[in-house]
Amino acid sequence: MEISIADDGIGMDEEELGQLLDEKYNEQRGIDLLNTDRRLKQLYSHGLVIASKHNFGTTVTFQIPKNE
C-alpha cells in the first residue's frame, strides 16, 4: 500500500528538501518527520520519500508492504 500526502503550496528548493530528514538541521524545528521516518524504517525497511518543487508543491509518500 502506498500512502501519499500532497499539496500545491510554495514547495521547497533542493537545499530545504535535503535538510528535512537531517538531524543536525532539525534541532530547533522539531523532530516529527524524523521520528516518522525512523519508525517507518524500523517497521518496514522504507522511510519517507519527500518530493518538492519550488512554487509547485510537495508530496510525502511512504509504503507499507502487503503482508504487514
Side-chain angles (χ1 to χ4, degrees):
M1 174 182 351
E2 182 173 279
I3 299 170
S4 294
I5 300 167
D7 70 34
D8 59 356
I10 64 170
M12 294 174 273
D13 61 30
E14 291 293 321
E15 183 178 349
E16 291 173 302
L17 190 57
Q19 294 174 357
L20 283 179
L21 298 176
D22 189 330
E23 288 186 36
K24 73 178 183 178
Y25 292 104
N26 284 286
E27 292 173 358
Q28 296 178 344
R29 294 190 309 185
I31 55 171
D32 294 333
L33 281 177
L34 288 174
N35 282 341
T36 301
D37 184 59
R38 186 177 298 126
R39 180 59 60 100
L40 287 167
K41 287 176 180 175
Q42 287 174 346
L43 293 171
Y44 308 118
S45 302
H46 299 49
L48 295 171
V49 176
I50 304 172
S52 188
K53 187 171 181 183
H54 193 64
N55 293 323
F56 288 94
T58 302
T59 302
V60 179
T61 303
F62 64 94
Q63 295 182 347
I64 299 174
K66 186 175 181 177
N67 46 339
E68 294 297 326

